[in-house]
Amino acid sequence: MKKEIMSSLRFLIFSVMLFGGVYTLLVTGVGQLLFHTQANGSQIVVGDQVVGSKLIGQTFEEDRYFSGRSQEVSQLAPSSATQEEIVTNRTKKELLKNPSETKVPIDLVTASASGVDPDISLEAATFQIERIAKIRNLAPSEILQLIKSNQEHDWFSNRTFVNVLRLNIALNQLDQ
């Protein structure tokens, strides 16, 4: 019996060292070497300060910035009366913030499944141009050009979108 226990303990210690130590160091090392940015959270750095991640949406409350998708996720069905009320309220809020517009893009009034989607459609970005141009005393064409220069394309579909954090950083750089 003692022999079996000692054998099991040796195997346990070996397994912990191999899979808890060596394997972890190997995977971490390969990640840092080949995928440094992704392994560190796809951080966006301005100057010498980390301001966020390319992968995690942030809330921008000030009207001088592009706003992204809502981070208030509901597990309600699209046909739910409560969900319809939530979307209606968000639509009214967006129309109040952007009075020159009449039709709110769907991604500004619905949340993503995770609630941290960092991207919005080009339609959602252009919807906000007039408000931002007015507040920042910029020509709408300048902001449209900014959107176009920051647009990204999905590899798997024809979807074109912009990262809200990167777009707002670019907006701030226009002011400088």
Side-chain angles (χ1 to χ4, degrees):
M1 172 108 164
K2 184 178 178 184
K3 191 175 185 179
E4 287 85 15
I5 291 174
M6 291 307 289
S7 177
S8 294
L9 280 175
R10 279 194 304 272
F11 181 73
L12 175 65
I13 291 168
F14 172 77
S15 296
V16 168
M17 289 176 57
L18 178 66
F19 299 114
V22 175
Y23 175 77
T24 303
L25 288 173
L26 178 69
V27 169
T28 302
V30 169
Q32 288 295 324
L33 184 64
L34 300 177
F35 306 102
H36 178 74
T37 301
Q38 295 89 336
N40 290 309
S42 300
Q43 297 173 340
I44 296 177
V45 179
V46 175
D48 61 348
Q49 183 176 357
V50 175
V51 294
S53 169
K54 182 183 186 299
L55 304 174
I56 300 174
Q58 298 180 24
T59 302
F60 291 93
E61 296 293 330
E62 293 181 53
D63 286 345
R64 57 180 297 181
Y65 290 111
F66 285 94
S67 56
R69 296 188 77 169
S70 174
Q71 293 183 347
E72 297 174 25
V73 178
S74 72
Q75 299 299 319
L76 301 169
S79 59
S80 162
T82 306
Q83 178 67 11
E84 186 177 335
E85 182 181 335
I86 291 169
V87 170
T88 300
N89 290 338
R90 288 178 184 163
T91 301
K92 288 177 184 175
K93 183 180 174 185
E94 284 298 325
L95 290 172
L96 283 174
K97 280 174 46 178
N98 302 282
S100 64
E101 300 294 332
T102 57
K103 186 174 184 272
V104 181
I106 193 73
D107 53 331
L108 288 180
V109 295
T110 57
S112 65
S114 66
V116 292
D117 189 353
D119 306 317
I120 57 174
S121 66
L122 289 182
E123 181 184 19
T126 56
F127 172 83
Q128 301 177 65
I129 288 176
E130 291 296 325
R131 177 192 82 229
I132 294 168
K134 183 177 180 183
I135 291 170
R136 290 183 176 253
N137 293 319
L138 296 169
S141 60
E142 286 181 87
I143 297 177
L144 180 60
Q145 183 57 41
L146 192 71
I147 292 169
K148 287 181 179 180
S149 65
N150 281 281
Q151 70 184 8
E152 300 177 49
H153 301 279
D154 191 346
W155 285 16
F156 302 107
S157 69
N158 290 331
R159 189 174 83 98
T160 306
F161 56 92
V162 290
N163 182 283
V164 177
L165 177 57
R166 286 185 185 226
L167 196 55
N168 285 331
I169 290 170
L171 257 179
N172 283 342
Q173 291 172 347
L174 280 180
D175 288 343
Q176 296 174 355

